[in-house]
Amino acid sequence: MPGKDLYRTIRLIRRFEERALELVRAGEIGSGIHPCIGQEGVAAGVCAALEPGDRILATHRGHGHLLAKGTDPRRLMAEMAGRSTGIDAGRGGSFHPSDPDAGVVGATGTVGHSVGIAAGVAWALARAGGGRVVACFFGDGAVSQGALLEGLNLASLWRLPVVYVCENNGYATTLPVATAVAGTITGRGEAFGIPSRTVDGQDPETVLAATAEAVRRARDGGGPSLIEMSTYRFLGHHTFESSVRLRYRDEAEVAAWKERDPLQIQAARVSEADRARIDAEVEALLDEVVAYTLASPRPDPAGGLDHLYADAIPVRAGVS
Amino acid sequence: MPGKDLYRTIRLIRRFEERALELVRAGEIGSGIHPCIGQEGVAAGVCAALEPGDRILATHRGHGHLLAKGTDPRRLMAEMAGRSTGIDAGRGGSFHPSDPDAGVVGATGTVGHSVGIAAGVAWALARAGGGRVVACFFGDGAVSQGALLEGLNLASLWRLPVVYVCENNGYATTLPVATAVAGTITGRGEAFGIPSRTVDGQDPETVLAATAEAVRRARDGGGPSLIEMSTYRFLGHHTFESSVRLRYRDEAEVAAWKERDPLQIQAARVSEADRARIDAEVEALLDEVVAYTLASPRPDPAGGLDHLYADAIPVRAGVS
Amino acid sequence: MPKLSYLKALNRALGDEMARDDTVFLLGEDVNHALTNTTHGLLERFGPQRIVETPLSEQGFTNFATGAAMAGLRPVVEFQIPFLLLLVFEQITNQAAKFRQMSGGQVSVPVTYLLPSAGWRKEWGGQHSDQPYSLFAHMGVKTVVPATPTDAYGLLLTAIRDDDPVVFFAPIAALGVREDVDHAALQPVPLGVGRVHRPGTDVTLVAIGHPVHDALAVAEELAGEVSVEVFDPRTVHPFDWAGLAASVARTGRLVVVDDANRSCGLAAEILATAAEEFALAAPPVRVTRPDGAILGAVPQLDLALQPSREQIAVAVQKVLKSTG
Amino acid sequence: MPKLSYLKALNRALGDEMARDDTVFLLGEDVNHALTNTTHGLLERFGPQRIVETPLSEQGFTNFATGAAMAGLRPVVEFQIPFLLLLVFEQITNQAAKFRQMSGGQVSVPVTYLLPSAGWRKEWGGQHSDQPYSLFAHMGVKTVVPATPTDAYGLLLTAIRDDDPVVFFAPIAALGVREDVDHAALQPVPLGVGRVHRPGTDVTLVAIGHPVHDALAVAEELAGEVSVEVFDPRTVHPFDWAGLAASVARTGRLVVVDDANRSCGLAAEILATAAEEFALAAPPVRVTRPDGAILGAVPQLDLALQPSREQIAVAVQKVLKSTG
Ligand SMILES: Cc1ncc(C[n+]2csc(CCOP(=O)(O)OP(=O)(O)O)c2C)c(N)n1
Ligand SMILES: Cc1ncc(C[n+]2csc(CCOP(=O)(O)OP(=O)(O)O)c2C)c(N)n1
Ligand SMILES: [Mg+2]
Ligand SMILES: [Mg+2]
């Protein structure tokens, strides 16, 4: 029953990030994080439309993407805290995590470039057969990045099985969409012949339905789709915002969006009893997640050059 | 009377390139050239809609653009032949000529990137006032280059006075438009809110009328426009094609397009007598152009590092 | 005397130059809200025609700056992260930097590319900590890496006034550096002129950017046993070869600290030139990051890859002991 | 024995490897019509799923290759002009080359970037003649610059089979080189292993790419007066330091020819390492292009900027005469 699962996923992401914020304040997650609180409905709804064999590309605001796709929360938190038990042995951190086992190809820091990467992954999956698809997340800030537009053209030209998910949360850091985007976001998809639509990203079931349709088209060889999800981040761009005074959104706007909290919207669709049970399970899991993280070792400083290359080529030290 | 002037310009470009082809065969223009024969109507029609104070950005197939904007044919041919009397003292050559005096900003070799450069020029002109505009030429191959699409977004966001002229001659080197462009060319402009239309690039007066409308909008602060000119190059991508056997266009297609020669189309609008006079003037001029070119000296080899920097910073030689 | 921080020096230089010359304008991401602090107060002071907020279209606005510069303006383009300079590497090195020569000297492209966050960004992952200044030197683009507030102020003024493209690297690790300055005495610093921060007679210790401060600390620490001259080229290209030659002529020994990847870095160029042209009493030594080092998300891993004061001290002692 | 040209060696290596491993595919511009000749006959042989024509979207298809590689394929991406590698510099160095480390070693990105036209393109203007291999070395990306048909064949095989990104520079000036080869004997050449083309006892003359042939000509020309060992590293990164050390240990003298810009180039790295680690009987000498040289539209201007055989000969004689 998707309603309950969606609720569980959203609840997990919300509480995971709230616990992560504590670890940021405690200095355990030194990078700080880009919280996705308020946008969980997109991650949950999109990934609910995917199969385990499908792949995703996450963003810098990607904890929700990974959790929804099935990454182990213990090892994700450990990764964010730079522990060797992390999904990437601490080398990816909060910003650039990848989790091949869960189908998470990665999260490049170059905003928008995941679109071309996703096309390449989709090409490989299509060649292998089996109808697998790729979901590629990016933000509204990414839609004026040339490499993203080049990637859309390639995905459409070659009818690749990708669902492009634009999380339009209204801002790229401090930059409002209106001052950055001439024309529209869906118009960029249409320019390349890609079926494109805008849906309410705060309603997890709307997101799921829209994604499911696009996934079906992709599996059937119908090529890529673009879905613009109207959403909002309830917190700052990055946790550093709590320390600097950036006034680019007004209180009223933030308050209005908080009225449309995906957690509340989905909670209303789940019985009191189920919610209580799920909430309790999530809390128990997150206690375990935090304990696991704090108990995990930090990487050995001697390993700074590990994983630079596939083979053991000689890498000279900084002093001879 | 525009009809006659258009004819003169087209005739000049056609014969200029035919003479240039002779100099290529004679080894005087070592780079070879990208002939625009067949596309002269676009250069002539677009530049006929411009004032001397307006600017253009040319392409690698740019001889027509420069001649139509008013570059001295003697010094353009000398430039192509690597002579120090050339418009760029031989440093630009056929591929990267600029001619500030004639309003030719330049021709970058990076296909499509002129679009962002043109936006910057237009911004500066707009700030200075006086209603000047920029015409920016690019080919069909450029429309899937990310930097071009980024440039269109900026030009539209900031309502800059630019007329974007896409010369769609059906191919990017050997690549047919259909295999390179998902969606449409005008759709790319519309995606960024830019008024975009397709016109017959073989009819010089149609080109002039469409450009004049876009220029008017730009001068009036209405922002950029995009015009797709349907055209065709009668010869190979570059003169090297005569030496290699590339079969990417079939004879019939080439023949059909040659039926729509801008020179013939415009000639039909000019009286026998006028044509005879103009043709004679053009021949006389081109004899002078070739004589001037061949009589011009080649740059002193000692000047290889000239113009690297604005000031005389120490540039070390290749051996100390 | 009032204190001036490196970051404030950048902000002041921008403000002063924009006030002095109205062809100067700045564009970049989040500049309205001065995310990097360099544009703090400038939007209010100069308005949206001079402080221009851009979308995430780095190639587009870098080309835009090229065009605006060719048409007579002096754009300053701000980039938030080092890799963004890699993203626009072609637009700077193959376009902006080549138009002058390709036009036979007719066209000028006076653009300043300002990176107020060069180098290591603690725990920000593998894509935020590059130090790519040597790449621009190889391509022949004027490039500066100031270490102090006064040099940052003076070189930013000079970069903006220069008629060629200039890439300005402000190391994150130096942004907090503060200096007593008489604001009235602040002035342009010429390109290609190094600075001897501390005179010495036994070893020339070359450092650029934030390692200058480590070099000075090590020189002080070793003052008892050895007299270290700390030379800061300040400009990567054009490089002050005459200044370095004079210093090495005095000391006869050379150590170079460069917090960048080792292969084909600035330190390599300095040692190569020294080997060809200078008389050295002992083999020179480089202290750099390892070949192809990627600084990542775990500080203790990163710190093991960055030049340390201890390594610098050991290198100084090594060149003292050995003889060529 | 049959003659094999460098260009044909590239074509043959691609065909052989595509036949051996069906995860290998090639993408690029005008590849269907083999504009560069490297893909001649391959579309007919392997079809449009293996030879993929792309629009002018270099960043897009470079990222595409990264994705395809992360999903198990082995893309070869062809670029027509050197500056196109500058255009995708960020996608290669900051993305493709970093995913392995950022994933803690879980992700491989086996992409080969093939530039079959590195260096000077006579009279093609200022934007077509770059030689940017040292830039990739600085960023830690595996990079090869073969000088001969057999090395081109062997290194292209190795590059494609390598599990990391590898940039392959084929110098225009070497494409016509022909060699007698027994096709059956053609085999992979390992990365990071140099080659002594000609043994000698007096001077080690290092050259990479097309200058190797100039170095050999000069060595022959000077054979009467001096015994020159010609060392070709073949790979820029990882570099064969052990091989070079062994050669210099034999000769005690070093000259490096590098047809690339001088500052922070490969020649700088070689001289720097030699100065630090090798015992030299005389100061080493570089023969390169000038700082920031732009090769343009007029051959006589360009030729004055490129390393000449005469310069190489003079350099060899110079290191012989001088003593360290
Ligand atoms: C190409 C590029 N430009 C700039 C940056 C710096 N940066 C990182 S996140 C970000 C904002 C992205 O906004 P958006 O895509 O809307 O995602 P959101 O943060 O809103 O989730 C910026 C400017 C970058 N990482 N990559
Ligand atoms: C970004 C970029 N990619 C590739 C090239 C190589 N190249 C030069 S011209 C050309 C074809 C351009 O086609 P189009 O834009 O249609 O112009 P046309 O030659 O048809 O006039 C190509 C691929 C280049 N110069 N720049
Ligand atoms: Mg956003
Ligand atoms: Mg075309």
Side-chain angles (χ1 to χ4, degrees):
Chain A
M1 193 284 228
K4 261 192 283 184
D5 296 344
L6 281 174
Y7 176 75
R8 174 193 301 276
T9 305
I10 294 167
R11 178 80 186 186
L12 172 64
I13 299 170
R14 174 70 52 95
R15 293 293 299 137
F16 179 93
E17 288 215 324
E18 287 170 346
R19 298 298 290 267
L21 291 170
E22 293 170 13
L23 294 182
V24 169
R25 283 189 289 272
E28 290 289 341
I29 299 176
S31 63
I33 63 171
H34 298 95
C36 71
I37 288 175
Q39 303 182 201
E40 303 96 331
V42 177
V46 167
C47 293
L50 302 177
E51 299 297 328
D54 296 328
R55 309 289 173 83
I56 68 165
L57 280 107
T59 70
H60 55 283
R61 200 174 303 289
H63 307 147
H65 307 143
L66 273 77
L67 291 171
K69 186 65 173 70
T71 288
D72 178 345
R74 298 170 200 71
R75 299 194 54 213
L76 176 58
M77 192 73 85
E79 182 62 31
M80 294 156 62
R83 302 305 211 271
S84 47
T85 54
I87 47 174
D88 302 308
R91 269 64 173 185
S94 166
F95 295 11
H96 311 302
S98 55
D99 186 5
D101 301 340
V104 180
V105 177
T108 185
T110 316
V111 166
H113 289 232
S114 56
V115 164
I117 295 171
V121 173
W123 167 281
L125 295 183
R127 255 187 55 164
R132 288 169 298 171
V133 308
V134 179
C136 176
F137 294 92
F138 55 87
D140 51 280
V143 303
S144 298
Q145 177 72 198
L148 174 142
L149 300 164
E150 291 183 352
L152 292 180
N153 186 55
L154 295 179
S156 179
L157 266 180
W158 299 334
R159 294 182 74 78
L160 298 172
V162 190
V163 179
Y164 287 111
V165 179
C166 177
E167 298 185 80
N168 180 355
N169 60 9
Y171 297 85
T173 315
T174 67
L175 186 67
V177 170
T179 62
V181 178
T184 64
I185 291 175
T186 51
R188 283 157 164 69
E190 286 151 2
F192 303 103
I194 298 177
S196 305
R197 57 184 289 209
T198 304
V199 308
D200 176 7
Q202 299 307 86
D203 182 338
E205 297 192 355
T206 303
V207 171
L208 170 54
T211 308
E213 180 205 359
V215 166
R216 209 171 307 112
R217 183 182 305 118
R219 292 202 203 285
D220 299 348
S225 307
L226 186 153
I227 311 173
E228 175 187 11
M229 308 285 187
S230 309
T231 185
Y232 203 79
R233 57 172 159 76
F234 291 173
L235 305 179
H237 170 71
H238 176 279
T239 43
F240 71 64
E241 243 187 79
S242 55
S243 61
V244 294
R245 236 163 255 10
L246 291 172
R247 289 203 198 66
Y248 58 92
R249 309 193 298 187
D250 67 52
E251 310 299 339
E253 177 183 290
V254 179
W257 274 96
K258 283 185 173 170
E259 290 304 303
R260 307 211 56 256
D261 183 339
L263 184 63
Q264 300 313 326
I265 290 170
Q266 199 54 30
R269 295 166 177 158
V270 179
S271 78
E272 195 72 58
D274 286 335
R275 243 187 301 144
R277 185 175 42 74
I278 292 170
D279 293 357
E281 287 166 3
V282 167
E283 288 317 299
L285 173 56
L286 286 168
D287 290 338
E288 200 189 323
V289 165
V290 173
Y292 176 88
T293 298
L294 297 179
S296 294
R298 297 182 187 279
D300 174 354
L305 293 174
D306 292 353
H307 315 305
L308 261 188
Y309 301 99
D311 46 2
I313 68 167
V315 174
R316 299 180 305 166
V319 272
S320 61
Chain B
M1 187 288 224
K4 260 192 282 184
D5 296 346
L6 281 175
Y7 176 75
R8 175 192 301 277
T9 305
I10 293 167
R11 178 81 187 185
L12 171 65
I13 299 171
R14 174 70 53 95
R15 292 294 298 139
F16 179 92
E17 287 217 324
E18 286 170 345
R19 297 299 289 267
L21 290 170
E22 293 169 15
L23 294 182
V24 169
R25 282 190 289 271
E28 290 290 339
I29 299 177
S31 62
I33 64 171
H34 298 94
C36 70
I37 289 174
Q39 304 182 198
E40 302 94 333
V42 177
V46 167
C47 293
L50 302 177
E51 298 298 329
D54 296 328
R55 309 290 173 83
I56 68 165
L57 280 107
T59 71
H60 55 284
R61 200 175 303 289
H63 308 148
H65 306 141
L66 274 77
L67 292 172
K69 187 65 173 70
T71 288
D72 178 345
R74 297 167 202 73
R75 299 194 52 214
L76 177 56
M77 192 72 85
E79 181 63 31
M80 293 156 63
R83 301 306 209 273
S84 47
T85 54
I87 46 175
D88 303 307
R91 270 62 174 187
S94 166
F95 295 11
H96 311 304
S98 54
D99 185 4
D101 302 339
V104 180
V105 176
T108 185
T110 316
V111 166
H113 289 233
S114 57
V115 165
I117 294 170
V121 173
W123 167 281
L125 295 183
R127 257 186 54 162
R132 288 169 298 171
V133 308
V134 179
C136 176
F137 294 92
F138 54 88
D140 50 280
V143 304
S144 298
Q145 177 72 197
L148 175 142
L149 299 163
E150 291 184 352
L152 291 181
N153 186 55
L154 295 179
S156 179
L157 265 181
W158 299 335
R159 292 182 77 79
L160 298 172
V162 190
V163 179
Y164 287 112
V165 178
C166 177
E167 297 185 83
N168 180 355
N169 59 10
Y171 298 83
T173 316
T174 67
L175 185 67
V177 170
T179 63
V181 178
T184 63
I185 291 175
T186 51
R188 283 155 166 69
E190 285 151 2
F192 303 104
I194 297 177
S196 306
R197 56 184 288 209
T198 304
V199 307
D200 176 6
Q202 298 310 83
D203 182 337
E205 297 192 355
T206 302
V207 171
L208 169 55
T211 307
E213 180 204 0
V215 165
R216 211 172 305 110
R217 183 183 303 120
R219 291 202 202 285
D220 299 349
S225 307
L226 187 153
I227 311 173
E228 176 187 11
M229 309 284 187
S230 308
T231 185
Y232 202 77
R233 55 172 160 77
F234 291 174
L235 304 180
H237 168 70
H238 176 279
T239 44
F240 71 65
E241 241 186 82
S242 54
S243 60
V244 294
R245 235 161 254 12
L246 291 173
R247 290 202 199 65
Y248 57 92
R249 310 194 296 188
D250 67 49
E251 310 301 338
E253 177 183 290
V254 179
W257 274 95
K258 284 184 172 169
E259 290 304 305
R260 307 213 54 255
D261 182 338
L263 184 64
Q264 301 313 329
I265 290 171
Q266 198 56 28
R269 296 166 177 158
V270 178
S271 76
E272 196 71 61
D274 286 334
R275 242 189 300 146
R277 186 176 41 74
I278 292 171
D279 294 358
E281 288 166 5
V282 167
E283 288 318 299
L285 173 57
L286 286 169
D287 289 341
E288 200 190 323
V289 164
V290 172
Y292 176 88
T293 298
L294 296 179
S296 294
R298 298 182 187 277
D300 173 356
L305 292 174
D306 292 353
H307 316 305
L308 259 188
Y309 302 100
D311 46 2
I313 68 168
V315 174
R316 300 179 305 166
V319 272
S320 62
Chain C
M1 272 195 297
K3 287 257 185 219
L4 179 67
S5 79
Y6 193 115
L7 201 50
K8 181 67 193 158
L10 296 178
N11 176 251
R12 175 179 285 264
L14 287 173
D16 290 353
E17 201 55 17
M18 288 177 73
R20 198 187 67 83
D21 177 353
D22 69 9
T23 66
V24 178
F25 72 108
L26 183 140
L27 57 158
E29 292 156 19
D30 304 297
V31 295
N32 285 358
H33 294 277
L35 197 66
T36 64
N37 285 308
T38 53
T39 54
H40 185 75
L42 299 183
L43 176 63
E44 299 69 10
R45 206 169 142 200
F46 298 101
Q49 287 291 308
R50 307 284 302 281
I51 296 294
V52 182
E53 184 94 283
T54 61
L56 280 64
S57 304
E58 291 79 10
Q59 299 195 326
F61 64 69
T62 299
N63 286 334
F64 172 92
T66 301
M70 290 201 284
L73 300 179
R74 293 190 176 274
V76 177
V77 188
E78 181 179 275
F79 296 91
Q80 294 179 345
I81 309 173
F83 81 76
L84 297 176
L85 284 175
L86 306 180
L87 187 57
V88 300
F89 195 75
E90 191 277 336
Q91 290 76 53
I92 295 175
T93 63
N94 189 53
Q95 297 190 70
K98 288 183 178 177
F99 275 114
R100 169 179 301 281
Q101 200 246 18
M102 293 195 301
S103 68
Q106 296 175 92
V107 172
S108 287
V109 187
V111 181
T112 301
Y113 309 95
L114 174 60
L115 176 67
S117 57
W120 188 46
R121 190 173 301 205
K122 188 164 176 277
E123 291 170 310
W124 272 46
Q127 294 178 305
H128 287 81
S129 301
D130 300 298
Q131 197 66 287
Y133 41 76
S134 70
L135 306 182
F136 290 95
H138 184 65
M139 297 301 290
V141 179
K142 294 174 176 177
T143 304
V144 301
V145 189
T148 69
T150 47
D151 285 345
Y153 179 93
L155 281 165
L156 186 48
L157 245 53
T158 302
I160 295 171
R161 295 177 190 181
D162 197 276
D163 284 333
D164 291 320
V166 179
V167 187
F168 189 108
F169 285 83
I172 293 179
L175 295 181
V177 173
R178 308 173 96 245
E179 210 178 351
D180 294 314
V181 295
D182 166 3
H183 289 153
L186 287 170
Q187 55 181 336
V189 171
L191 294 188
V193 178
R195 171 176 173 183
V196 173
H197 281 274
R198 175 190 177 108
T201 55
D202 301 337
V203 187
T204 297
L205 176 55
V206 178
I208 191 162
H210 58 282
V212 166
H213 305 289
D214 299 305
L216 287 167
V218 170
E220 185 56 36
E221 181 192 309
L222 300 181
E225 43 183 295
V226 44
S227 167
V228 178
E229 174 149 308
V230 176
F231 180 83
D232 172 7
R234 303 192 289 193
T235 304
V236 176
H237 183 76
F239 192 93
D240 183 3
W241 295 116
L244 179 61
S247 175
V248 173
R250 283 189 293 273
T251 63
R253 289 178 156 80
L254 177 65
V255 171
V256 181
V257 195
D258 183 20
D259 179 25
N261 290 354
R262 189 170 185 81
S263 284
C264 306
L266 175 63
E269 181 55 44
I270 295 172
L271 263 69
T273 300
E276 282 178 298
E277 303 178 17
F278 302 165
L280 293 170
V285 175
R286 281 181 287 181
V287 183
T288 66
R289 297 182 188 178
D291 284 341
I294 296 172
L295 300 187
V298 185
Q300 56 270 40
L301 294 177
D302 301 346
L303 289 167
L305 302 181
Q306 295 173 62
S308 68
R309 292 183 179 186
E310 191 192 349
Q311 287 173 320
I312 299 169
V314 170
V316 167
Q317 283 150 338
K318 181 179 170 192
V319 296
L320 267 178
K321 288 196 206 67
S322 64
T323 52
Chain D
M1 268 195 299
K3 287 258 183 216
L4 179 68
S5 79
Y6 193 114
L7 202 49
K8 183 64 195 163
L10 297 178
N11 176 252
R12 175 180 283 266
L14 287 172
D16 289 354
E17 200 55 17
M18 288 177 72
R20 198 187 65 83
D21 178 353
D22 68 10
T23 66
V24 177
F25 72 108
L26 182 139
L27 59 159
E29 293 156 19
D30 304 298
V31 295
N32 285 358
H33 295 277
L35 197 66
T36 65
N37 285 308
T38 53
T39 54
H40 185 76
L42 299 182
L43 176 63
E44 298 68 12
R45 206 170 142 200
F46 298 102
Q49 288 290 308
R50 307 284 302 280
I51 296 294
V52 182
E53 184 94 282
T54 63
L56 279 63
S57 304
E58 292 79 10
Q59 299 188 73
F61 63 69
T62 299
N63 286 332
F64 173 92
T66 300
M70 292 201 284
L73 299 180
R74 292 189 176 275
V76 177
V77 188
E78 181 179 273
F79 297 92
Q80 294 178 345
I81 310 173
F83 80 76
L84 296 176
L85 284 174
L86 306 180
L87 187 56
V88 299
F89 195 75
E90 191 278 335
Q91 290 77 51
I92 294 175
T93 62
N94 189 52
Q95 298 190 68
K98 287 183 177 175
F99 275 115
R100 169 179 301 282
Q101 200 246 21
M102 294 197 300
S103 67
Q106 296 175 92
V107 172
S108 288
V109 187
V111 182
T112 301
Y113 310 96
L114 174 61
L115 177 66
S117 57
W120 187 47
R121 190 172 302 203
K122 187 166 177 277
E123 289 168 311
W124 272 46
Q127 295 179 304
H128 287 82
S129 300
D130 300 298
Q131 197 65 290
Y133 41 76
S134 70
L135 306 181
F136 290 95
H138 184 64
M139 297 300 290
V141 179
K142 293 174 176 177
T143 304
V144 301
V145 189
T148 69
T150 47
D151 284 346
Y153 179 93
L155 282 164
L156 185 48
L157 245 54
T158 302
I160 295 171
R161 294 178 191 181
D162 196 278
D163 284 333
D164 291 319
V166 179
V167 187
F168 188 108
F169 286 82
I172 293 179
L175 295 181
V177 174
R178 310 174 94 243
E179 211 179 353
D180 292 315
V181 296
D182 164 6
H183 289 153
L186 287 170
Q187 53 179 343
V189 170
L191 295 188
V193 178
R195 171 177 175 183
V196 173
H197 281 274
R198 175 191 178 108
T201 55
D202 301 336
V203 187
T204 297
L205 176 55
V206 178
I208 191 161
H210 58 283
V212 165
H213 305 289
D214 300 304
L216 287 167
V218 171
E220 185 57 35
E221 180 192 310
L222 301 180
E225 42 182 294
V226 45
S227 167
V228 177
E229 174 149 307
V230 176
F231 180 83
D232 172 7
R234 302 192 290 194
T235 305
V236 175
H237 183 77
F239 192 93
D240 183 2
W241 295 116
L244 179 60
S247 175
V248 173
R250 282 190 292 275
T251 63
R253 288 178 158 77
L254 177 65
V255 171
V256 181
V257 196
D258 184 20
D259 179 26
N261 290 355
R262 190 170 184 83
S263 284
C264 305
L266 176 63
E269 180 55 43
I270 294 172
L271 263 69
T273 299
E276 281 179 301
E277 302 178 18
F278 303 164
L280 293 170
V285 174
R286 283 181 284 182
V287 183
T288 66
R289 297 183 189 178
D291 285 342
I294 297 172
L295 301 188
V298 185
Q300 55 271 43
L301 293 177
D302 300 347
L303 289 167
L305 302 181
Q306 296 174 59
S308 68
R309 291 183 178 186
E310 191 192 348
Q311 288 173 320
I312 299 169
V314 170
V316 167
Q317 285 150 338
K318 180 179 169 190
V319 296
L320 267 178
K321 287 197 207 68
S322 64
T323 53

